[in-house]
Amino acid sequence: MRRLFQYALTIVLLAGCTITQQVIPVSYEPATVRPSADRHDYQNAAKAIAYVMVEELKLPRVEAVLIIYPTRAEYESGFVAEVGSTPSQAAGRTHFLAMANCKYKKVLVNGQSLSRLPWSSRVKTLAHELTHIAQYSLGNSRCSSPHSWLSEGFANWAAFKVVESLGLDTFAKERETFVESVYKLKSNRTLPALSQMAVSSDWEYLAKSLGADATYAQSFLAVDFLIEKKSLPAVIEYFSLFARSNNRNVNFMTAFGEDVSVFEQEFGAHLQKLLI
């Protein structure tokens, strides 16, 4: 019986399950050698992600707290305790694996669900949410309202760059996976336009009703194209403009030099060629 218990415990630990709640302060730490994220250690992963975001992507220094809950129920309770959500609001958010909060600079993670993913996907998830924290920091920690497709697409774009830099996967592979998923989806239904994914409530509705291929994948491809056309510093400037104004369309024009509707048309033509 004892041997069976030890074996079961070993399996749990190897799977990377979070047995107790983990509270991990996340901050950029200058280093002569880039931190490694090749071990199943969330604290080391957070350090490595923060390092790549600042040193290589030139995003602002990340100052946040990563809270990993061992169960879905505790994850749900975390929204009430940590960010002031009502129980009903918290229940509505737990379909997400992890979420960043702008006001409190916290990332809440469902450790039970996260542990089921490959390590590279776990690091990618954390990098995605920490990129949102960087976006909030650029906007002076205001709970602003950028174009949701740009916010989510850039969070994925940055996460893929981080994972590639850490040697866990390649950006090209992630990009090709999204191209294939959008291609398959487009053959069966009409994709939502970027203008339909600007407001956060519309984004959440479309993400739930149409799925990640129609929303996250397409948004990533839009941001990848935007960076190719206008540069990464222009995207960083876009989020910085929310420190002064919450007008997403004006900020887009200021940062990129064209109206968002013009870019939407350009992206539509680009996507058609991409999916041939």
Side-chain angles (χ1 to χ4, degrees):
M1 179 65 72
R2 181 178 178 183
R3 183 174 298 175
L4 181 62
F5 171 79
Q6 290 175 332
Y7 175 78
L9 179 60
T10 300
I11 293 298
V12 168
L13 293 174
L14 289 175
C17 291
T18 302
I19 299 174
T20 60
Q21 179 177 316
Q22 296 183 49
V23 180
I24 302 171
V26 183
S27 63
Y28 164 74
E29 296 180 10
T32 55
V33 178
R34 182 182 57 200
S36 173
D38 58 357
R39 292 182 295 168
H40 289 207
D41 184 318
Y42 291 127
Q43 188 163 0
N44 285 338
K47 289 179 181 178
I49 292 167
Y51 181 89
V52 173
M53 287 171 61
V54 174
E55 291 288 343
E56 299 177 21
L57 300 182
K58 307 305 178 185
L59 290 167
R61 295 189 175 199
V62 176
E63 299 290 341
V65 175
L66 178 66
I67 307 175
I68 305 178
Y69 299 93
T71 67
R72 177 183 174 130
E74 289 172 272
Y75 174 57
E76 186 172 324
S77 297
F79 284 101
V80 178
E82 299 294 337
V83 300
S85 296
T86 66
S88 60
Q89 289 172 333
R93 292 177 180 178
T94 51
H95 64 281
F96 291 102
L97 179 64
M99 285 192 69
N101 181 274
C102 57
K103 184 177 179 181
Y104 299 99
K105 296 184 181 179
K106 294 176 181 178
V107 176
L108 311 183
V109 182
N110 183 339
Q112 185 176 18
S113 296
L114 194 70
S115 67
R116 301 185 184 121
L117 301 178
W119 179 243
S120 62
S121 296
R122 298 188 217 176
V123 174
K124 193 186 313 171
T125 298
L126 300 182
H128 178 108
E129 298 304 330
L130 288 172
T131 299
H132 283 314
I133 296 292
Q135 292 169 359
Y136 303 144
S137 296
L138 285 166
N140 199 25
S141 297
R142 295 180 61 193
C143 292
S144 55
S145 302
H147 294 85
S148 289
W149 64 266
L150 210 165
S151 176
E152 295 296 340
F154 181 65
N156 266 337
W157 189 93
F160 293 171
K161 287 293 185 181
V162 167
V163 168
E164 179 174 66
S165 179
L166 296 175
L168 300 175
D169 211 333
T170 68
F171 185 88
K173 178 184 173 182
E174 297 285 1
R175 183 179 184 276
E176 186 58 33
T177 298
F178 272 178
V179 170
E180 291 177 0
S181 63
V182 172
Y183 176 81
K184 292 177 182 177
L185 184 68
K186 196 173 186 301
S187 63
N188 297 321
R189 64 174 66 172
T190 301
L191 292 171
L194 296 182
S195 57
Q196 294 176 275
M197 298 187 289
V199 180
S200 59
S201 57
D202 293 340
W203 167 272
E204 291 186 11
Y205 170 77
L206 290 169
K208 290 179 182 178
S209 60
L210 300 182
D213 292 341
T215 51
Y216 286 94
Q218 186 185 190
S219 295
F220 161 79
L221 295 176
V223 170
D224 190 44
F225 179 57
L226 183 63
I227 291 174
E228 180 184 324
K229 277 173 52 67
K230 303 295 184 179
S231 79
L232 175 58
V235 173
I236 293 174
E237 180 190 1
Y238 166 80
F239 289 108
S240 298
L241 290 169
F242 284 90
R244 302 192 300 271
S245 169
N246 206 26
N247 190 318
R248 64 174 72 91
N249 291 332
V250 170
N251 290 345
F252 191 97
M253 172 67 81
T254 302
F256 304 114
E258 65 183 26
D259 190 79
V260 65
S261 62
V262 174
F263 173 74
E264 184 171 0
Q265 293 177 352
E266 294 170 341
F267 172 64
H270 169 74
L271 191 61
Q272 290 291 339
K273 294 178 182 178
L274 199 62
L275 299 180
I276 292 176

